[in-house]
Amino acid sequence: AQSVTQLDSQVPVFEEAPVELRCNYSSSVSVYLFWYVQYPNQGLQLLLKYLSGSTLVESINGFEAEFNKSQTSFHLRKPSVHISDTAEYFCAVSVSGGFKTIFGAGTRLFVKA
Amino acid sequence: EAQVTQNPRYLITVTGKKLTVTCSQNMNHEYMSWYRQDPGLGLRQIYYSMNVEVTDKGDVPEGYKVSRKEKRNFPLILESPSPNQTSLYFCASSLSGTPSPEAFFGQGTRLTVV
């Protein structure tokens, strides 16, 4: 069975500072990995995903995540955050051909001025 | 516009009064699912459907029912709601197949059972 652990429930950070949101997963088979973002009072939106190929994936708004198979991690990073990045971020995993996506408990990113 | 629509967005009800939360998608997706979101627990899958008339239990199905009579609709039914079903509910849809595609989520339904 797959599982996802997000190591930080809340991450406060000042505007323009770098941030890393940590995600570890466990699985005995190959997985696909996702980061979703949830802005206040909204549903989840896909931020970025790793399916195969390059282990470094990027989003259009400056976030990136690196798939590390040996450490079973998929940490999300941004070199300089904005107030508008304040949201809850969910790491998720699913398996090839599978229909089930397992979500982590979420990390609330709070960007302060 | 591609979207998943849930209704209602907010609902307060009393224990035992049957309710239905509707979900509709306009992307012709085969796969639909329901999640509940609770603080500190992330999203937990309630039920999912791989296509019309094909549904299965997720991780927390107790107290819920679903049906999939049409491809676009996937309502969530609470026959006898209880206070422990107070939660934020999300419907999601995605294309089935490999590689595992992204899920599109509705805006959520905040349910309070008193």
Side-chain angles (χ1 to χ4, degrees):
Chain A
Q2 294 75 43
S3 67
V4 179
T5 302
Q6 291 184 242
L7 297 160
D8 307 290
S9 59
Q10 296 185 69
V11 174
V13 63
F14 285 104
E15 194 174 21
E16 298 184 6
V19 71
E20 177 180 80
L21 307 184
R22 297 178 292 168
C23 172
N24 286 97
Y25 70 93
S26 67
S27 176
S28 58
V29 297
S30 296
V31 296
Y32 302 122
L33 296 158
F34 307 82
W35 276 100
Y36 287 84
V37 58
Q38 183 181 31
Y39 298 104
N41 298 314
Q42 295 188 26
L44 280 73
Q45 308 169 32
L46 182 70
L47 186 61
L48 46 76
K49 60 184 175 184
Y50 170 78
L51 302 181
S52 64
S54 172
T55 57
L56 185 66
V57 291
E58 299 177 352
S59 72
I60 59 172
N61 57 353
F63 282 95
E64 64 178 31
E66 185 161 19
F67 170 55
N68 187 320
K69 189 174 182 180
S70 63
Q71 296 187 10
T72 60
S73 67
F74 191 55
H75 301 332
L76 181 70
R77 302 184 183 95
K78 189 170 185 179
S80 175
V81 294
H82 302 125
I83 297 285
S84 60
D85 293 323
T86 294
E88 189 154 20
Y89 293 79
F90 291 91
C91 183
V93 61
S94 65
V95 298
S96 173
F99 296 100
K100 191 168 182 177
T101 301
I102 306 294
F103 287 84
T107 297
R108 192 173 298 275
L109 175 64
F110 180 59
V111 181
K112 301 177 284 186
Chain B
E1 180 189 356
Q3 60 185 357
V4 177
T5 304
Q6 292 178 231
N7 280 296
R9 291 288 311 277
Y10 301 92
L11 179 59
I12 301 174
T13 190
V14 296
T15 299
K17 186 177 181 182
K18 180 179 178 180
L19 65 91
T20 300
V21 183
T22 63
C23 174
S24 179
Q25 51 94 3
N26 63 359
M27 296 167 280
N28 202 36
H29 286 168
E30 295 90 353
Y31 183 66
M32 298 184 74
S33 58
W34 276 102
Y35 295 88
R36 60 178 288 173
Q37 182 181 7
D38 301 290
L41 297 176
L43 276 77
R44 294 178 293 168
Q45 192 177 52
I46 302 170
Y47 269 94
Y48 63 93
S49 169
M50 291 183 281
N51 215 321
V52 176
E53 301 293 2
V54 181
T55 64
D56 206 349
K57 297 177 180 179
D59 297 316
V60 288
E62 294 77 21
Y64 304 95
K65 285 176 56 178
V66 294
S67 68
R68 188 92 180 271
K69 293 183 169 49
E70 304 167 282
K71 197 171 188 179
R72 62 182 291 128
N73 296 322
F74 190 46
L76 179 70
I77 303 156
L78 284 73
E79 295 271 2
S80 182
S82 63
N84 64 11
Q85 293 178 297
T86 292
S87 186
L88 179 58
Y89 291 86
F90 288 101
C91 178
S93 73
S94 59
L95 282 170
S96 61
T98 301
S100 185
E102 69 178 275
F104 291 81
F105 283 82
Q107 294 283 76
T109 296
R110 187 168 293 280
L111 172 65
T112 302
V113 183
V114 298

